[in-house]
Amino acid sequence: MTTRQRTTSGSPFENQFGFCRAVREGNRIIVAGTGPVELDGSTTPGGVAEQADRCLAIIVAAIEELGGSAKDVVRTRMLLTDPDDQDAVGTVHARYFGAAKPAATMAGVAWLCRPEWKVEIEAEAVIGDA
């Protein structure tokens, strides 16, 4: 029998909307959609690259807290509000996961949780031998 583990990132949305940042079940870690939220709850300043970097830093920290690493990531989903941002977000994604080469989806959406957010990212990881 496996024990489910959870971790939080301190985002104010976790308590407000009743979710955790990531859940580990066995060797699988699922990370919720992650926006560019700073520790004080504010939005990460800067453009889409800075926001994507913040999202991915939060994601990797959650995976590490649950016993995994960036190399264990097998799937990502990147949601963008502007299709012109795909190259900038893709470059940041490659910096974090270029060696892991996860299956990845990048899609355009009409809006995200806060109007100033340009990107939100989620991930899945599988811990163990590839």
Side-chain angles (χ1 to χ4, degrees), residues 6-118:
R6 293 178 174 80
T7 188
T8 63
S9 67
S11 165
F13 296 107
E14 292 173 22
N15 283 333
Q16 181 181 354
F17 297 153
F19 73 97
C20 64
R21 179 61 40 217
V23 176
R24 178 177 177 172
E25 180 76 29
N27 68 338
R28 186 172 179 209
I29 299 171
I30 301 170
V31 185
T34 302
V37 179
E38 295 295 315
L39 292 176
D40 66 1
S42 67
T43 296
T44 300
V48 71
E50 290 81 8
Q51 288 191 7
D53 186 72
R54 179 66 181 148
C55 295
L56 292 172
I58 294 167
I59 287 168
V60 170
I63 290 169
E64 289 174 346
E65 188 170 328
L66 292 173
S69 71
K71 71 177 176 58
D72 297 314
V73 172
V74 297
R75 175 126 176 101
T76 59
R77 291 172 193 88
M78 296 162 274
L79 307 176
L80 310 177
T81 58
D82 185 343
D84 291 337
D85 290 337
Q86 63 185 309
D87 288 342
V89 173
T91 297
V92 176
H93 183 275
R95 201 169 66 237
Y96 278 84
F97 303 126
K101 298 215 181 305
T105 299
M106 188 180 292
V109 296
W111 60 272
L112 295 169
C113 202
R114 288 187 178 166
E116 67 272 20
W117 288 6
K118 300 173 181 295

